[in-house]
Amino acid sequence: MSKTVLATLLALGTLTSGALAAGSATPPVDLPAICLANAGHAGMSMGDTSMGGNMAMAPMAADQAHGDLMAGMAQMNADMMVGATAADPDVAFVCSMIPHHRGAIAMAKAELANGDDAWAKSLAEQIIAAQEKEIADMTAWLATQK
């Protein structure tokens, strides 16, 4: 398994250090081939993983654009896991979806700051608008729960 794939799986919580030690296989990735073309990019490394466990730390990136994307994903994953601990399953779902949407916003902002393609930038703007509205809706719903 490449360092990039390993770091990404650890950062996203898809793979835990325990599973890695046990020699578990990499879970399948369901993405178009273009998304996987640089999965073994040598410019990425895991950084310091000495704390162990399932830490949501962003791997070090070769450039600012990729670092911004990874930081948004790492924070999202950590917050989603906390949100999922709510006792009520409906509340847990919504509490996990809020950071999921915040992660999408952070990634969209990284695209706006670093991307060049007009279509991708337009998509990023649409994602920000839609996700912000949905976060407001979820927050309002949570306020009605006991």
Side-chain angles (χ1 to χ4, degrees):
M1 180 181 321
S2 76
K3 282 186 175 182
T4 302
V5 172
L6 178 61
T8 303
L9 291 173
L10 284 168
L12 296 176
T14 306
L15 179 67
T16 64
S17 296
L20 179 62
S24 299
T26 302
V29 177
D30 186 17
L31 291 171
I34 194 170
C35 299
L36 305 174
N38 289 326
H41 187 273
M44 309 271 207
S45 67
M46 289 180 52
D48 180 14
T49 57
S50 61
M51 299 209 39
N54 188 12
M55 301 299 291
M57 65 190 303
M60 295 185 317
D63 59 40
Q64 185 66 43
H66 289 90
D68 291 349
L69 286 171
M70 289 180 200
M73 289 185 281
Q75 184 64 52
M76 171 190 70
N77 188 60
D79 293 350
M80 284 175 55
M81 294 302 134
V82 172
T85 64
D88 180 277
D90 296 321
V91 172
F93 165 69
V94 174
C95 289
S96 291
M97 289 305 295
I98 290 171
H100 182 268
H101 283 44
R102 287 179 181 154
I105 291 169
M107 292 172 67
K109 287 180 178 179
E111 167 59 25
L112 292 175
N114 301 294
D116 296 321
D117 186 82
W119 181 88
K121 285 178 161 283
S122 175
L123 177 63
E125 290 171 345
Q126 294 170 44
I127 287 170
I128 291 168
Q131 302 295 299
E132 285 177 343
K133 182 197 179 306
E134 291 177 11
I135 289 170
D137 292 346
M138 289 184 280
T139 302
W141 180 82
L142 286 170
T144 69
Q145 303 305 300
K146 302 211 187 263

